[in-house]
């Protein structure tokens, strides 16, 4: 049974009733979708000088009137009634819909993106369920607050504001008491400031918000960051994802939620590390619920030296010392990352380490696994085995590995390679010394070549004595951990 439905419609057809005239025939044929819970309304609008905007005083136009008890009947009405009828049709056709996404299509006319009718449509659709994704990213810089004042008691909101109109944080603030999740993507600092600061200078509070994701397009905030002394706007936050440079001048995002925060994604840099230290945000006993910590955007960190780089990454790795899952993506200096992970601090709680853009040879992998005794899953590239010790010939390498390292990393069981082709010899050598390593997870495309290479190596004279142990990779190499 279908769970998601996308309706591709021309904007004016909604306002004139033409769209509903077509859709009503489907309804008359008992075309109801009882299992659909997600509706995407993809709206197109073609510029046409002959099409005049409808309003409440316009001449009558053909439409469809929806009566909940009588079904659908055609009659003449206004654009507002057409919008109401369209929304009610959706409710009747999709009785279980709870998520509505209003998005602009490929041929959407930006001149109508934020006009009264389009905003009316989005405002009406929110009544169908608790979640609405409202995208009005290409519109004119016209006030829409009065229209959005109708939208109350939302639980989930997604907002895009590519051109920085700064108008849509108003929607988040007026639903602050009911919001549970919020996604905001903007190019303007005023949008992010407006989340916390009301127009009258008081602070907004989101008592039920458990998921917050902030993104940016291009702006760097620098000295423009604002302080919010005493504010604690997100006291129940469980998941915080910052896919941007930290936008505030203090620790306002972290106040009051140390007991609830369970998932954290940051872009670490020198400013953020200094701020977190200054406010003593993460201590050895704080954030007991934190289970997953992700660090992204390392390409923005341009250290003057390895010591500077290590300073930032050491602090980042120390956040939530008990968190078992760590994801470190986009690191530009993989050798340095391995050195820091292997040589600094106690990271014994880490069970899953995701460094998907980092290339590891067998010796770097050994160093990591030895320093992370609970590590079970590793996400990284494995293009080569690296250089063997000078006094070890390649023919002697399997015996050397077993006598030197076995058993090692008894919790380690899976290496995720993703869509890359892993080095089969690297995986075989690791399987010789890690007694429970028997999964190599990769995408379908490189899998066949990898498995053939495994079979060839296991059948060779060098590895044949260890074949019973290595065959586990053949049986499990195709699986996903």
């Amino acid at each position: 049974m279908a769970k998601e439905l996308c309706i591709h419609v021309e904007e004016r057809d909604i306002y004139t009733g033409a769209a509903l005239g077509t859709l009503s025939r489907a309804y008359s044929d008992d075309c109801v979708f009882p299992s659909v819970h997600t509706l995407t309304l993809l709206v197109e609008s073609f510029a046409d000088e002959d099409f005049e905007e409808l309003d409440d005083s316009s001449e009558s136009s053909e439409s469809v009137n929806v009566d909940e008890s009588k079904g659908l009947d055609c009659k003449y009405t206004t654009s507002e009634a057409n919008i109401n009828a369209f929304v009610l049709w959706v409710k009747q056709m999709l009785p279980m819909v709870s998520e509505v996404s209003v998005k602009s299509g490929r041929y959407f006319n930006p001149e109508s993106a934020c006009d009264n009718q389009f905003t009316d449509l989005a405002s009406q659709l929110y009544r169908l369920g608790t979640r609405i994704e409202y995208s009005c990213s290409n519109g004119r810089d016209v006030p829409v607050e009065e229209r959005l004042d109708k939208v109350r008691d939302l639980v989930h909101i997604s907002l895009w504001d590519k051109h920085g109109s700064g108008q849509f944080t108003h929607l988040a603030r007026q639903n602050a008491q009911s919001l549970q999740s919020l996604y905001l993507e903007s190019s303007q600092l005023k949008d992010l400031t407006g989340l916390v600061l009301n127009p009258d200078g008081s602070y907004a509070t989101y008592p039920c918000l458990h998921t917050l994701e902030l993104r940016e397009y291009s702006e760097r905030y620098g000295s423009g960051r604002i302080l919010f002394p005493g504010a604690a706007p997100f006291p129940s936050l469980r998941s915080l994802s910052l896919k941007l440079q930290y936008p505030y001048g203090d620790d306002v995002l972290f106040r009051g939620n140390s007991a609830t925060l369970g998932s954290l994604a940051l872009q670490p840099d020198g400013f953020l590390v200094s701020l977190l230290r200054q406010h003593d945000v993460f201590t050895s006993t704080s954030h007991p619920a934190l289970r997953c910590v992700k660090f992204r955007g390392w390409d923005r960190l341009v250290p003057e030296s390895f010591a500077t780089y290590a300073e930032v990454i050491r602090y980042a790795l120390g956040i939530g010392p008990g968190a078992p899952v760590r994801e470190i993506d986009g690191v530009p200096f993989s050798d340095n990352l391995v050195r820091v992970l292997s040589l600094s601090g106690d990271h014994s709680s880490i069970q899953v380490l995701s460094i998907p853009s980092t290339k590891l040879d067998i010796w770097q992998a050994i160093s990591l696994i030895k320093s992370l005794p609970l590590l079970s899953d590793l996400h990284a590239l494995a293009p080569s085995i690296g250089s063997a010790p000078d006094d070890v010939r390649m023919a002697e390498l399997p015996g050397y590995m077993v006598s030197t390292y076995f058993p090692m990393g008894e919790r380690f069981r899976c290496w995720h390679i993703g869509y890359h082709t892993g080095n089969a010899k690297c995986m075989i050598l690791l399987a010789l010394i890690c007694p429970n390593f028997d999964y190599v997870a990769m995408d379908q495309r490189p899998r066949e070549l990898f498995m053939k290479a495994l079979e060839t190596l296991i059948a060779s004279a060098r590895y044949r004595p260890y074949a019973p142990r290595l065959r586990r990779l053949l049986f499990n190499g195709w699986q996903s951990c």
Side-chain angles (χ1 to χ4, degrees):
M1 300 289 286
K3 295 183 179 181
E4 300 183 11
L5 178 66
C6 178
I7 298 178
H8 197 164
V9 64
E10 216 278 303
E11 185 184 15
R12 77 184 70 178
D13 289 346
I14 298 176
Y15 308 147
T16 63
L20 195 55
T22 301
L23 295 171
S24 66
R25 290 191 288 273
Y27 182 84
S28 301
D29 294 334
D30 296 323
C31 185
V32 179
F33 302 90
S35 63
V36 169
H37 58 74
T38 300
L39 168 66
T40 298
L41 191 64
L42 193 62
V43 182
E44 306 283 12
S45 59
F46 300 92
D48 188 345
E49 295 178 355
D50 296 328
F51 179 69
E52 295 182 358
E53 181 174 282
L54 294 170
D55 55 34
D56 292 343
S57 61
S58 66
E59 294 295 327
S60 60
S61 58
E62 184 178 359
S63 183
V64 176
N65 178 51
V66 184
D67 183 275
E68 292 196 37
S69 61
K70 298 181 180 179
L72 300 164
D73 297 304
C74 290
K75 75 173 205 177
Y76 290 92
T77 185
T78 63
S79 62
E80 181 180 0
N82 287 331
I83 292 173
N84 292 341
F86 183 85
V87 171
L88 188 52
W89 173 87
V90 173
K91 181 179 179 181
Q92 292 176 329
M93 294 290 288
L94 312 174
M96 300 302 293
V97 71
S98 61
E99 300 184 12
V100 180
S101 176
V102 183
K103 298 182 178 180
S104 56
R106 180 179 178 183
Y107 299 103
F108 192 64
N109 178 14
E111 288 301 311
S112 65
C114 284
D115 67 15
N116 290 347
Q117 292 169 341
F118 184 83
T119 309
D120 272 342
L121 173 63
S123 301
Q124 291 280 14
L125 283 169
Y126 95 95
R127 297 183 303 173
L128 297 177
T130 58
R131 179 184 181 94
I132 181 171
E133 292 189 356
Y134 182 32
S135 175
C136 191
S137 58
N138 297 314
R140 297 170 295 182
D141 190 12
V142 297
V144 297
E145 283 87 346
E146 292 182 3
R147 298 285 172 175
L148 296 179
D149 278 341
K150 303 175 183 178
V151 183
R152 299 284 180 173
D153 302 322
L154 293 185
V155 178
H156 308 279
I157 297 180
S158 297
L159 298 171
W160 293 265
D161 195 0
K162 295 180 182 178
H163 296 285
S165 67
Q167 301 179 61
F168 295 103
T169 48
H170 171 79
L171 181 63
R173 287 197 310 269
Q174 74 182 20
N175 289 276
Q177 297 303 304
S178 59
L179 268 184
Q180 295 181 15
S181 68
L182 173 62
Y183 172 102
L184 175 62
E185 188 164 359
S186 176
S187 62
Q188 295 292 322
L189 180 59
K190 61 184 176 181
D191 281 342
L192 302 176
T193 301
L195 274 184
V196 180
L197 194 63
N198 290 315
D200 62 3
S202 62
Y203 295 138
T205 302
Y206 302 76
C208 301
L209 193 75
H210 57 69
T211 301
L212 176 63
E213 180 171 329
L214 302 179
R215 286 175 175 252
E216 66 163 347
Y217 280 95
S218 60
E219 185 172 344
R220 296 293 176 269
Y221 306 122
S223 59
R225 294 180 174 96
I226 296 178
L227 301 173
F228 299 95
F234 309 111
S236 302
L237 206 59
R238 299 202 296 262
S239 175
L240 175 62
S241 178
L242 301 180
K243 298 181 179 179
L244 43 60
Q245 195 176 21
Y246 188 77
Y248 303 118
D250 55 26
D251 61 333
V252 62
L253 288 183
F254 302 96
R255 293 179 193 152
N257 49 46
S258 62
T260 59
L261 192 62
S263 177
L264 178 66
L266 298 175
Q267 289 188 353
D269 58 22
F271 170 80
L272 180 58
V273 169
S274 176
L275 182 145
L276 295 176
R277 279 183 169 157
Q278 176 186 347
H279 295 278
D280 202 21
V281 174
F282 294 100
T283 67
S284 59
T285 57
S286 69
H287 299 84
L290 196 57
R291 309 301 295 165
C292 181
V293 181
K294 301 179 181 181
F295 310 112
R296 298 172 177 144
W298 292 94
D299 54 314
R300 299 185 179 188
L301 178 63
V302 185
E304 296 178 359
S305 65
F306 172 70
T308 305
Y309 177 87
E311 174 77 7
V312 173
I313 198 171
R314 281 194 189 100
Y315 182 83
L317 289 169
I319 293 176
V325 180
R326 303 297 175 109
E327 180 178 326
I328 307 173
D329 198 7
V331 179
F333 313 107
S334 59
D335 289 342
N336 288 349
L337 172 64
V338 174
R339 287 172 58 192
V340 174
L341 283 171
S342 303
L343 302 176
S344 67
D346 178 13
H347 310 303
S348 59
S349 65
I350 297 178
Q351 299 174 25
V352 179
L353 178 63
S354 180
I355 44 177
S357 59
T358 300
K359 299 177 180 179
L360 300 180
D361 60 33
I362 184 65
W363 313 106
Q364 292 171 320
I366 289 173
S367 180
L368 273 184
I369 295 171
K370 288 174 66 176
S371 63
L372 305 175
L374 297 184
L375 186 68
S376 64
D377 288 35
L378 175 64
H379 299 242
L381 304 179
S384 68
I385 66 168
S387 301
D390 294 338
D391 57 344
V392 179
R393 295 182 301 172
M394 290 302 295
E396 302 169 344
L397 191 56
Y400 170 82
M401 299 293 287
V402 172
S403 62
T404 305
Y405 297 107
F406 182 85
M408 185 196 76
E410 297 191 22
R411 298 288 188 94
F412 186 70
R413 57 181 292 273
C414 181
W415 190 321
H416 298 251
I417 299 175
Y419 60 89
H420 294 273
T421 301
N423 185 278
K425 188 176 295 184
C426 181
M427 298 301 159
I428 279 186
L429 291 174
L430 202 59
L432 289 178
I433 60 178
C434 296
N436 295 307
F437 171 51
D438 52 11
Y439 290 89
V440 180
M442 63 177 62
D443 290 348
Q444 178 66 41
R445 186 172 58 181
R447 186 177 299 154
E448 183 177 352
L449 182 63
F450 177 79
M451 297 303 287
K452 287 182 178 179
L454 276 182
E455 291 176 350
T456 301
L457 285 171
I458 293 173
S460 67
R462 188 176 302 173
Y463 293 97
R464 193 178 304 130
Y466 310 98
R469 184 185 305 173
L470 299 177
R471 290 189 194 282
R472 292 175 305 177
L473 289 178
L474 288 176
F475 295 122
N476 299 320
W478 58 273
Q479 297 188 27
S480 179
C481 303

